[in-house]
mmCIF file of all heavy atoms in Angstrom:
data_model
loop_
_atom_site.group_PDB
_atom_site.id
_atom_site.type_symbol
_atom_site.label_atom_id
_atom_site.label_comp_id
_atom_site.label_asym_id
_atom_site.label_seq_id
_atom_site.Cartn_x
_atom_site.Cartn_y
_atom_site.Cartn_z
ATOM 1 N N LEU A 306 7.057 18.574 1.549
ATOM 2 C CA LEU A 306 6.024 18.069 0.543
ATOM 3 C C LEU A 306 6.116 16.490 0.551
ATOM 4 O O LEU A 306 5.045 15.888 0.512
ATOM 5 C CB LEU A 306 6.283 18.742 -0.800
ATOM 6 C CG LEU A 306 5.168 18.378 -1.859
ATOM 7 C CD1 LEU A 306 3.772 18.833 -1.434
ATOM 8 C CD2 LEU A 306 5.514 19.003 -3.139
ATOM 9 N N ALA A 307 7.295 15.985 0.428
ATOM 10 C CA ALA A 307 7.423 14.547 0.319
ATOM 11 C C ALA A 307 6.842 13.836 1.626
ATOM 12 O O ALA A 307 6.155 12.782 1.510
ATOM 13 C CB ALA A 307 8.843 14.145 0.113
ATOM 14 N N THR A 308 7.202 14.344 2.827
ATOM 15 C CA THR A 308 6.701 13.724 4.029
ATOM 16 C C THR A 308 5.240 13.965 4.123
ATOM 17 O O THR A 308 4.458 13.044 4.651
ATOM 18 C CB THR A 308 7.505 14.202 5.272
ATOM 19 O OG1 THR A 308 7.344 15.661 5.290
ATOM 20 C CG2 THR A 308 8.953 13.787 5.229
ATOM 21 N N ALA A 309 4.673 15.115 3.685
ATOM 22 C CA ALA A 309 3.292 15.320 3.777
ATOM 23 C C ALA A 309 2.527 14.495 2.877
ATOM 24 O O ALA A 309 1.447 13.874 3.217
ATOM 25 C CB ALA A 309 2.919 16.729 3.554
ATOM 26 N N ALA A 310 3.049 14.269 1.658
ATOM 27 C CA ALA A 310 2.471 13.329 0.648
ATOM 28 C C ALA A 310 2.455 11.859 1.179
ATOM 29 O O ALA A 310 1.454 11.145 0.933
ATOM 30 C CB ALA A 310 3.034 13.398 -0.632
ATOM 31 N N ALA A 311 3.504 11.530 1.826
ATOM 32 C CA ALA A 311 3.696 10.142 2.338
ATOM 33 C C ALA A 311 2.660 9.856 3.521
ATOM 34 O O ALA A 311 1.961 8.864 3.624
ATOM 35 C CB ALA A 311 5.100 9.786 2.743
ATOM 36 N N GLY A 312 2.550 10.881 4.314
ATOM 37 C CA GLY A 312 1.563 10.795 5.411
ATOM 38 C C GLY A 312 0.196 10.752 4.919
ATOM 39 O O GLY A 312 -0.646 9.998 5.419
ATOM 40 N N ALA A 313 -0.097 11.619 3.899
ATOM 41 C CA ALA A 313 -1.438 11.641 3.351
ATOM 42 C C ALA A 313 -1.805 10.277 2.668
ATOM 43 O O ALA A 313 -2.845 9.845 2.871
ATOM 44 C CB ALA A 313 -1.470 12.770 2.379
ATOM 45 N N TYR A 314 -0.736 9.639 2.036
ATOM 46 C CA TYR A 314 -0.996 8.418 1.435
ATOM 47 C C TYR A 314 -1.414 7.401 2.446
ATOM 48 O O TYR A 314 -2.359 6.604 2.169
ATOM 49 C CB TYR A 314 0.229 8.046 0.565
ATOM 50 C CG TYR A 314 0.156 6.657 -0.045
ATOM 51 C CD1 TYR A 314 -0.591 6.617 -1.213
ATOM 52 C CD2 TYR A 314 0.896 5.562 0.445
ATOM 53 C CE1 TYR A 314 -0.679 5.253 -1.942
ATOM 54 C CE2 TYR A 314 0.727 4.368 -0.191
ATOM 55 C CZ TYR A 314 -0.054 4.183 -1.334
ATOM 56 O OH TYR A 314 -0.082 2.979 -1.928
ATOM 57 N N ALA A 315 -0.676 7.323 3.554
ATOM 58 C CA ALA A 315 -0.987 6.459 4.691
ATOM 59 C C ALA A 315 -2.466 6.663 5.188
ATOM 60 O O ALA A 315 -3.261 5.660 5.449
ATOM 61 C CB ALA A 315 -0.008 6.433 5.750
ATOM 62 N N LEU A 316 -2.746 7.979 5.402
ATOM 63 C CA LEU A 316 -4.145 8.258 5.969
ATOM 64 C C LEU A 316 -5.234 7.985 4.905
ATOM 65 O O LEU A 316 -6.261 7.546 5.321
ATOM 66 C CB LEU A 316 -4.126 9.792 6.344
ATOM 67 C CG LEU A 316 -3.250 10.106 7.635
ATOM 68 C CD1 LEU A 316 -3.445 11.513 7.888
ATOM 69 C CD2 LEU A 316 -3.761 9.268 8.716
ATOM 70 N N VAL A 317 -5.014 8.193 3.692
ATOM 71 C CA VAL A 317 -5.967 7.808 2.697
ATOM 72 C C VAL A 317 -6.284 6.336 2.691
ATOM 73 O O VAL A 317 -7.502 5.884 2.592
ATOM 74 C CB VAL A 317 -5.534 8.241 1.265
ATOM 75 C CG1 VAL A 317 -6.430 7.641 0.141
ATOM 76 C CG2 VAL A 317 -5.603 9.796 1.182
ATOM 77 N N ILE A 318 -5.253 5.512 2.829
ATOM 78 C CA ILE A 318 -5.489 4.087 2.922
ATOM 79 C C ILE A 318 -6.367 3.831 4.090
ATOM 80 O O ILE A 318 -7.343 3.019 4.046
ATOM 81 C CB ILE A 318 -4.193 3.245 3.177
ATOM 82 C CG1 ILE A 318 -3.366 3.283 1.880
ATOM 83 C CG2 ILE A 318 -4.398 1.828 3.589
ATOM 84 C CD1 ILE A 318 -1.916 2.818 1.864
ATOM 85 N N CYS A 319 -6.084 4.525 5.234
ATOM 86 C CA CYS A 319 -6.958 4.241 6.404
ATOM 87 C C CYS A 319 -8.381 4.729 6.297
ATOM 88 O O CYS A 319 -9.303 4.103 6.727
ATOM 89 C CB CYS A 319 -6.290 4.973 7.641
ATOM 90 S SG CYS A 319 -4.721 4.318 8.074
ATOM 91 N N ILE A 320 -8.507 5.862 5.660
ATOM 92 C CA ILE A 320 -9.861 6.413 5.415
ATOM 93 C C ILE A 320 -10.733 5.455 4.577
ATOM 94 O O ILE A 320 -11.843 5.249 4.899
ATOM 95 C CB ILE A 320 -9.794 7.797 4.677
ATOM 96 C CG1 ILE A 320 -9.306 8.872 5.553
ATOM 97 C CG2 ILE A 320 -11.128 8.169 4.090
ATOM 98 C CD1 ILE A 320 -8.878 10.180 4.900
ATOM 99 N N PHE A 321 -10.168 4.971 3.455
ATOM 100 C CA PHE A 321 -10.913 3.949 2.637
ATOM 101 C C PHE A 321 -11.059 2.591 3.428
ATOM 102 O O PHE A 321 -12.109 1.979 3.197
ATOM 103 C CB PHE A 321 -10.178 3.654 1.354
ATOM 104 C CG PHE A 321 -10.382 4.783 0.329
ATOM 105 C CD1 PHE A 321 -9.326 5.447 -0.068
ATOM 106 C CD2 PHE A 321 -11.626 5.156 -0.043
ATOM 107 C CE1 PHE A 321 -9.470 6.644 -0.960
ATOM 108 C CE2 PHE A 321 -11.869 6.221 -0.802
ATOM 109 C CZ PHE A 321 -10.736 6.973 -1.354
ATOM 110 N N HIS A 322 -10.350 2.326 4.269
ATOM 111 C CA HIS A 322 -10.484 1.000 5.120
ATOM 112 C C HIS A 322 -11.751 1.239 6.104
ATOM 113 O O HIS A 322 -12.518 0.411 6.184
ATOM 114 C CB HIS A 322 -9.256 0.662 5.949
ATOM 115 C CG HIS A 322 -9.396 -0.450 6.866
ATOM 116 N ND1 HIS A 322 -9.313 -1.795 6.380
ATOM 117 C CD2 HIS A 322 -9.715 -0.528 8.186
ATOM 118 C CE1 HIS A 322 -9.547 -2.597 7.337
ATOM 119 N NE2 HIS A 322 -9.738 -1.904 8.495
ATOM 120 N N TRP A 323 -11.734 2.388 6.759
ATOM 121 C CA TRP A 323 -12.773 2.755 7.737
ATOM 122 C C TRP A 323 -14.085 3.117 7.085
ATOM 123 O O TRP A 323 -15.210 2.885 7.601
ATOM 124 C CB TRP A 323 -12.269 3.790 8.725
ATOM 125 C CG TRP A 323 -11.335 3.151 9.732
ATOM 126 C CD1 TRP A 323 -11.377 2.013 10.247
ATOM 127 C CD2 TRP A 323 -10.169 3.869 10.246
ATOM 128 N NE1 TRP A 323 -10.315 1.927 11.219
ATOM 129 C CE2 TRP A 323 -9.628 3.017 11.150
ATOM 130 C CE3 TRP A 323 -9.695 5.208 10.012
ATOM 131 C CZ2 TRP A 323 -8.360 3.351 11.874
ATOM 132 C CZ3 TRP A 323 -8.482 5.596 10.709
ATOM 133 C CH2 TRP A 323 -7.840 4.613 11.584
ATOM 134 N N ALA A 324 -13.961 3.801 5.831
ATOM 135 C CA ALA A 324 -15.203 4.329 5.286
ATOM 136 C C ALA A 324 -15.509 3.537 4.015
ATOM 137 O O ALA A 324 -15.189 3.936 2.955
ATOM 138 C CB ALA A 324 -15.072 5.797 4.976
#
Side-chain angles (χ1 to χ4, degrees):
L306 187 60
T308 56
Y314 180 73
L316 288 178
V317 167
I318 290 172
C319 297
I320 288 169
F321 284 118
H322 177 81
W323 285 322

